[in-house]
């Protein structure tokens, strides 16, 4: 009986944690680059560099960065603040998989 309640508790906590940072789904594409600091536009990244964390300089209430070489293998960072901090293990895995290819970052900002 106790194991059943523990499993239910784990499922409940997982649902709560997953809903803490909701995915930004309904968005409008604007035809300009987002303002970020530091500006990493057009740079060459060596495969052994530390994560290139950045700050989104756009007004909003929630922020999301989708970092990828291929859409099916991407890092998604969601934040209530403009600071985007990339997990180091995911970052190095992505760079190793994408050697020689373009690294792309999509920025999504939720407005009031």
């Amino acid at each position: 009986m106790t194991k059943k309640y523990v499993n239910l508790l784990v499922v409940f906590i997982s649902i709560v944690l997953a809903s803490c940072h909701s995915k930004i789904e309904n968005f409008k594409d604007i035809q300009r680059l987002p303002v970020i600091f530091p500006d990493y536009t057009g740079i060459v990244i060596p495969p052994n560099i530390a994560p290139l964390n950045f700050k989104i300089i756009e007004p909003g209430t929630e922020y999301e960065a989708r970092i990828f070489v291929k859409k099916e293998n991407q890092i998604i960072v969601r934040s209530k603040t403009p600071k985007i901090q990339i997990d180091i293990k995911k970052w190095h895995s992505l760079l190793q998989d994408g050697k020689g290819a373009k690294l792309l970052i999509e920025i999504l900002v939720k407005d009031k």
Side-chain angles (χ1 to χ4, degrees):
M1 198 66 135
T2 306
K3 187 174 181 178
K4 180 179 178 182
Y5 289 116
V6 170
N7 288 340
L8 286 173
L9 181 62
V10 169
V11 170
F12 177 73
I13 290 172
S14 298
I15 292 169
V16 169
L17 290 176
S19 65
C20 286
H21 289 291
S22 59
K23 183 177 179 182
I24 299 174
E25 293 179 359
N26 298 326
F27 56 89
K28 179 174 60 170
D29 188 15
I30 56 174
Q31 298 301 312
R32 68 169 175 81
L33 292 175
V35 180
I36 64 170
F37 179 80
D39 184 4
Y40 294 124
T41 307
I43 65 171
V44 176
I45 302 171
N48 60 347
I49 195 167
L52 298 179
N53 298 323
F54 57 93
K55 183 176 180 182
I56 301 170
I57 314 295
E58 300 284 350
T61 58
E62 291 181 42
Y63 301 85
E64 183 173 309
R66 299 175 183 173
I67 307 159
F68 58 93
V69 175
K70 301 173 192 160
K71 282 279 195 180
E72 59 272 359
N73 182 19
Q74 60 181 308
I75 300 171
I76 298 176
V77 180
R78 294 184 184 100
S79 176
K80 297 276 187 190
T81 70
K83 289 180 78 175
I84 300 298
Q85 298 208 239
I86 306 162
D87 178 86
I88 193 165
K89 288 181 182 178
K90 291 178 182 178
W91 172 256
H92 285 298
S93 175
L94 183 71
L95 291 185
Q96 288 302 315
D97 290 346
K99 279 185 182 178
K102 280 190 177 185
L103 180 74
L104 302 171
I105 302 175
E106 291 180 345
I107 304 289
L108 292 90
V109 178
K110 185 174 184 178
D111 202 352
K112 293 178 185 177

